[in-house]
Amino acid sequence: MRTDWFSELASAMLGREPHLQPLREMLVEKTGGNPFFLLECVRAVASSGPLSERGGVVTLENWRREFTVPPTVQTLISARIDRLDAADQALLSRAAVVGQTFSHALLARVVTDRREHLLGALNRLAQAGFLQRTRVVPHVEFSFKHALIHEVTYASLPRNLRKTL
């Protein structure tokens, strides 16, 4: 049995509505007490569409058929990256090569296309939960929101492309 704090965390993320209890229990059990894994699962559930809101009430729709918890958090992160459009995937990959934390200016040197749209793309990746802005003054700086996101992104690149970048 998982600790009460982890069940509370799941309730805080998903809501306390009684009809969500089976989903909360499944996620608490399958994520093994790992808060980051739980967060990634909640993001995956929300993006897969089985939860909907009607009149301010969250309803659960066919989650058993539509959502299964992958065996690892890395699998979830990889799937989220795969759902990005190609340009954002490429930018995230280049950022991973630059490092866990990087300045906007340094990344702009690595990115040869879309430089004028770079800050907007970085903000989109931050809004999607991949990056976070860590500094604004004196230079804009971003970092990967979690070390595993950085690791999965970096590991997904072929070795020769990593070397080239």
Side-chain angles (χ1 to χ4, degrees), residues 29-114:
E29 178 63 30
K30 299 281 186 175
T31 58
N34 181 325
F36 185 65
F37 197 3
L38 176 65
L39 174 62
E40 287 297 317
C41 283
V42 170
R43 281 187 175 144
V45 168
S47 69
S48 66
L51 297 177
S52 63
E53 185 178 344
R54 291 192 191 109
V57 176
V58 176
T59 59
L60 180 62
E61 297 177 9
N62 302 324
W63 63 270
R64 288 183 192 272
R65 284 185 278 137
E66 293 181 33
F67 182 77
T68 56
V69 178
T72 66
V73 67
Q74 290 89 337
T75 306
L76 272 171
I77 293 168
S78 183
R80 283 188 46 218
I81 292 169
D82 288 346
R83 287 193 297 273
L84 291 172
D85 69 38
D88 286 350
Q89 278 183 26
L91 178 60
L92 193 64
S93 296
R94 281 161 176 70
V97 171
V98 173
Q100 171 73 29
T101 300
F102 53 90
S103 70
H104 172 267
L106 179 58
L107 187 62
R109 285 191 231 153
V110 176
V111 176
T112 56
D113 58 333
R114 300 183 340 136

